[in-house]
Every structure is written in C-alpha cells, then in structure tokens.
Amino acid sequence: MCGRFVVANVASELVGVLRVDTINPSLPGPSYNVAPMSTAAIVLDSAKTEPPTRRLEPARWGLVPAWAKDPKIGARAFNARAEELEDKPMFRGALIKRRAVVPTTGYYEWKQLADGKEPHFIHPADDSPLFLAGLYEWWKDPSKADDDPDRWLLSFTILTRDAIGALGSIHDRMPLFLDADFADAWLDTDTENVGDILDAAIDAAPDLAETLETRVVSSAVGNVRNDSPALIDPA
C-alpha cells in the first residue's frame, strides 16, 4: 500500500518532463509527511479543452466519486489495487477518462517486525522525481451555491500492485510507479485501450522499483502532525 509520501520540493519543480501547460497558483507547499485526506498536487489532462490541457492541480488524497453522498468516503479510497480497477464500479469510470500522475520525492512504508512496525523511506537513488499512477474525480457539494468556488472537490487515489524484490521484503504492496514515458501515455485522454496501458504499466513497474533505495527512518513519521526534513533522515 501507500499511506504516506513526501514532496520535498515545490511540486512544479518535479514535473518538468511531463510538459505541464497550466499550474494552479494554490498548490500546497513541500511536505515530508503527506497523509490521506490532506492536499497534494496531481497532474491531469483536461479532456474539456481541445487539445487537452495538462494541468498541475491541488487535490485531496482519497477518491470521492461523483455519485457519493458524503465526501468522507474518500478516507477509505486513498489506494486502489491496479489489478482490480476494471471490476470495481468506484474506479472503473476514472480509469477510462480520469487518470492522474502523483509527483513525489518518495514514500514511506512500514515493515512488520516481531516487536512492532519499522518505517522505511523509499525513493529514487538519484533523487529524481518518483511518479505514481493515480485516478482522480470531481465531486459537487450539493449544499453549496453554484457560484461558490468551494463547491467542487478534486480528489485522487494512488494505485498499487504486488511488491517485488527488496520492496516485497518490507510490504506485500507497492505503488504503481511510472517512468516519464509511461506517465505521458497514462495521462493521455485519447487512449482507447486503457486496459493495455494499465497492464503495461503494471508489468513495467518492477524495473523501476529495482532502482529505488530504502532506509529505515524515525518512528516520528507515524504522527501526521510531524512534518520536517528530519523525517527522511536515517534512523
């Protein structure tokens, strides 16, 4: 799974290779402890423009589908199993037309030990951005007026797959990693064979996973109120 991640730089500095056209000025700042239900930056292609506009937008972590009666449903949907997307009504529509990329510096995972859990920080060895595959949704709050700028909630989920290699020794799931080329194809709203793109991304993720480094970090990361560069220092 992926329950915490790091954005150590301003998000706009992480997405140069993705050729973003528009950057929302309200993006959150750097964070070393992004948790579910908090706001992070995502990249998406807006199909409402022609040609589609690639945007970097702030979004809440935890997917809220358009049909939801209460946005609290997002607390249970911060991750989605990539191999089950096409069978789950909550994710099927977003898979077809609302795919996102979550730019990060790295993420945390906890290893189960006999006497508790040990947090690890997992990141690219060369400190390049780590792109995670995601889905997004827009939810309209019926309690707010049509002209209220807060009426629309943009939310997202991060996809996961079976973990392999060194990452598999920490946890049985890992995020669905994307290199720059796969990220570009993943965002393309004109893609017709979405299942093929998803399968290819799942198959390619292990090669990228093998390039990542892991290190044990302080248990302080377990408290969502803690947010400082010291969280990614070796324990």
Side-chain angles (χ1 to χ4, degrees):
M1 64 177 293
C2 177
R4 301 284 177 82
F5 63 87
V6 174
V7 181
N9 306 90
V10 177
S12 58
E13 298 175 359
L14 299 177
V15 295
V17 297
L18 297 184
R19 305 188 308 279
V20 170
D21 301 306
T22 303
I23 297 176
N24 190 307
S26 300
L27 294 176
S31 174
Y32 291 82
N33 201 0
V34 182
M37 303 300 283
S38 58
T39 300
I42 65 171
V43 181
L44 58 89
D45 274 7
S46 175
K48 293 183 178 181
T49 61
E50 185 56 46
T53 302
R54 185 157 296 179
R55 297 157 50 184
L56 184 63
E57 296 281 351
R60 195 171 78 176
W61 187 13
L63 195 76
V64 182
W67 46 260
K69 295 182 179 179
D70 190 324
K72 292 180 181 177
I73 193 175
R76 305 193 303 273
F78 60 90
N79 282 166
R81 289 176 172 260
E83 62 272 25
E84 298 177 358
L85 295 179
E86 294 177 287
D87 299 323
K88 294 293 181 73
M90 185 169 184
F91 305 117
R92 191 184 301 133
L95 174 63
I96 295 172
K97 280 295 183 182
R98 292 179 294 279
R99 298 179 298 279
V101 170
V102 185
T104 76
T105 304
Y107 72 103
Y108 298 106
E109 193 55 86
W110 279 258
K111 182 177 183 178
Q112 183 66 57
L113 303 177
D115 57 350
K117 292 184 177 182
E118 180 183 67
H120 291 244
F121 177 55
I122 302 167
H123 64 103
D126 60 0
D127 294 324
S128 60
L130 181 62
F131 297 136
L132 311 182
L135 306 174
Y136 74 91
E137 287 279 13
W138 288 99
W139 180 78
K140 184 170 65 174
D141 187 341
S143 69
K144 298 185 184 299
D146 288 345
D147 59 353
D148 188 331
D150 295 326
R151 187 173 195 191
W152 290 94
L153 171 67
L154 177 61
S155 63
F156 71 97
T157 188
I158 291 174
L159 307 189
T160 66
R161 56 147 287 160
D162 290 337
I164 55 93
L167 299 189
S169 69
I170 298 173
H171 196 277
D172 63 348
R173 304 291 295 180
M174 67 182 189
L176 182 57
F177 310 117
L178 299 171
D179 65 19
D181 289 337
F182 264 109
D184 194 61
W186 179 255
L187 290 169
D188 187 356
T189 58
D190 292 329
T191 298
E192 295 182 357
N193 298 319
V194 175
D196 292 343
I197 292 293
L198 176 62
D199 290 343
I202 293 173
D203 291 343
D207 288 340
L208 203 159
E210 294 289 356
T211 70
L212 303 180
E213 289 187 350
T214 71
R215 61 172 175 265
V216 178
V217 294
S218 168
S219 60
V221 71
N223 186 336
V224 296
R225 295 183 179 87
N226 295 328
D227 189 354
S228 76
L231 292 179
I232 63 173
D233 290 341

